[in-house]
Amino acid sequence: MVRVLYFAWLRERMGCAEEQLEIPPGVATVGDLAAWLRARNAKGEAAFAELSTVRAAVNQVFALPPAPFADGDEVAFFPPVTGG
Amino acid sequence: MVRVLYFAWLRERMGCAEEQLEIPPGVATVGDLAAWLRARNAKGEAAFAELSTVRAAVNQVFALPPAPFADGDEVAFFPPVTGG
Amino acid sequence: MTPFIRVQMQRIDVSAELARLTAGQTGVGGIGSFIGFVRDDPACPLQSLSLEHYPGMTEAAMTQIATEAAGRWPLLGCTLIHRVGRLVPGDDIVLVLAASPHRQAALDATGFLIDWLKTRAPFWKQERFVDGTERWVEARLADDEAASRW
Amino acid sequence: MTPFIRVQMQRIDVSAELARLTAGQTGVGGIGSFIGFVRDDPACPLQSLSLEHYPGMTEAAMTQIATEAAGRWPLLGCTLIHRVGRLVPGDDIVLVLAASPHRQAALDATGFLIDWLKTRAPFWKQERFVDGTERWVEARLADDEAASRW
């Protein structure tokens, strides 16, 4: 199981802030996971439509699409940050 | 008459914070005045010994040695500033 | 140097934070500071700004940013406070304080901290305008460029 | 923009000055700030620092420095407060605040204001050490260089 979090407009488009997901074999990187979520349903398609504006973190550390994740990890998706 | 002010170690060496002075003919610039004060007495000699470390203002505006001054003006001498 | 990091809902008490930063120190020559505010744009009047963050990761990222600054400048202390929740124009959003024996280090570290905080800490802003429309603020290229100078 | 300029004996109340600077404004996006302190050097323990100034000229010079900054950056307000009299280690000496719609302008103006204040406003510092000796602080070439960058 992987804990997946969504923030800002990704949260709005996904319709939830987080979910526990059973990840199918072959989905091993952050990029794989985004593509799988996009293909999964209409909400995923809306949230991950523009992959260039989606950022991610694995276990609360920024991660690029090639970054791997494993069972038990926390993966978050969000837009580019706009604090300060 | 010219009002002459001294600050910091120039004040200490001159032994006063200000004086009203009758300026002799030919003493027309800030540099002339410094040279005249230096030659006037032992205190002036001590205060103006190192002219390169003396700064000046005429009527409360920084002035270089060639700057002229006139009767009724306020001329100040002081070390390089060290505020902030 | 242990940075003081906090994400909070309430207004930022700058005097209290300055007192905390300087408590027991006599080696401080200067403190640089930046305070960010919710700015109103008369052309498009803002009703409120909602700030969301990623609890846990935010504090870790802020600590890492402060640690990076401490590695680059001789800091005696630094403070990073960021508000979340619903803010209105004129409200403070963020406070950065950097204390150093030297003025230039304090000022440079302050600029670095706010530039990195804007681009490397997980906060997101949503604007709500007087006409009822809402939009998520987009990241500015200029902010990335400012951060990449360091 | 009318700068707020003051030479004073008493401690500087930063919160009060921030409130004064932002009163009635909603266009402020950021305030940059620098606070200078009397720093103690363990190698040569300082008992006190006496600050002398040139009344009248000081305020005029500070106003001119603020005016110069307002000509270079889009400032909505700025505050320059400098203490005089006898100070001890840990005391604040100087406060610079610069408010702007934009963060970088606020930070750059802050750096400019403190650099110029150090080199163009008539203040002089005399140090008194714990061993009873006194000396007038000499102007630092580094300060002139910092000021001439602008």
Side-chain angles (χ1 to χ4, degrees), chain A residues 11-37:
Chain A
R11 174 180 47 72
E12 290 181 338
R13 293 183 194 174
M14 290 304 284
C16 70
E18 68 174 271
E19 47 188 335
Q20 292 282 343
L21 293 176
E22 197 70 57
I23 308 295
V27 175
T29 68
V30 167
D32 293 343
L33 181 56
W36 180 70
L37 288 165

Side-chain angles (χ1 to χ4, degrees), chain A residues 5-9 11-12 56-57 59-62 74-76 78-84, chain C residues 52-57 82 93-94 114 118-126 136-139:
Chain A
L5 309 184
Y6 310 105
F7 292 95
W9 52 256
R11 174 180 47 72
E12 290 181 338
N59 296 330
Q60 307 195 349
V61 175
F62 288 111
E74 176 177 302
V75 181
F78 41 77
V81 305
T82 56
Chain C
E52 177 173 335
H53 78 303
Y54 184 169
M57 179 172 169
H82 205 297
I93 304 178
V94 61
I114 185 63
K118 282 185 96 81
T119 53
R120 303 198 181 203
F123 292 97
W124 300 276
K125 289 190 189 108
Q126 188 180 35
W136 288 95
V137 175
E138 283 183 37

Side-chain angles (χ1 to χ4, degrees), chain C residues 89-113:
Chain C
D91 275 354
D92 46 18
I93 304 178
V94 61
L95 172 70
V96 167
L97 300 175
S100 174
H102 307 293
R103 147 173 123 268
Q104 198 57 51
L107 288 170
D108 288 347
T110 301
F112 169 87
L113 288 164

Side-chain angles (χ1 to χ4, degrees), chain C residues 33-34 104 107-108 110-111 114-115 149-150, chain D residues 30-33 69 72-75 96 98 100 102-116 149-150:
Chain C
S33 157
F34 179 79
Q104 198 57 51
L107 288 170
D108 288 347
T110 301
I114 185 63
D115 282 352
R149 291 178 309 173
W150 302 101
Chain D
I31 294 179
S33 156
R72 295 180 181 217
W73 292 279
L75 298 186
V96 168
S100 173
H102 307 292
R103 146 174 124 268
Q104 199 57 51
L107 288 169
D108 288 347
T110 301
F112 169 88
L113 287 164
I114 186 62
D115 282 352
W116 275 39
R149 291 178 309 173
W150 302 101

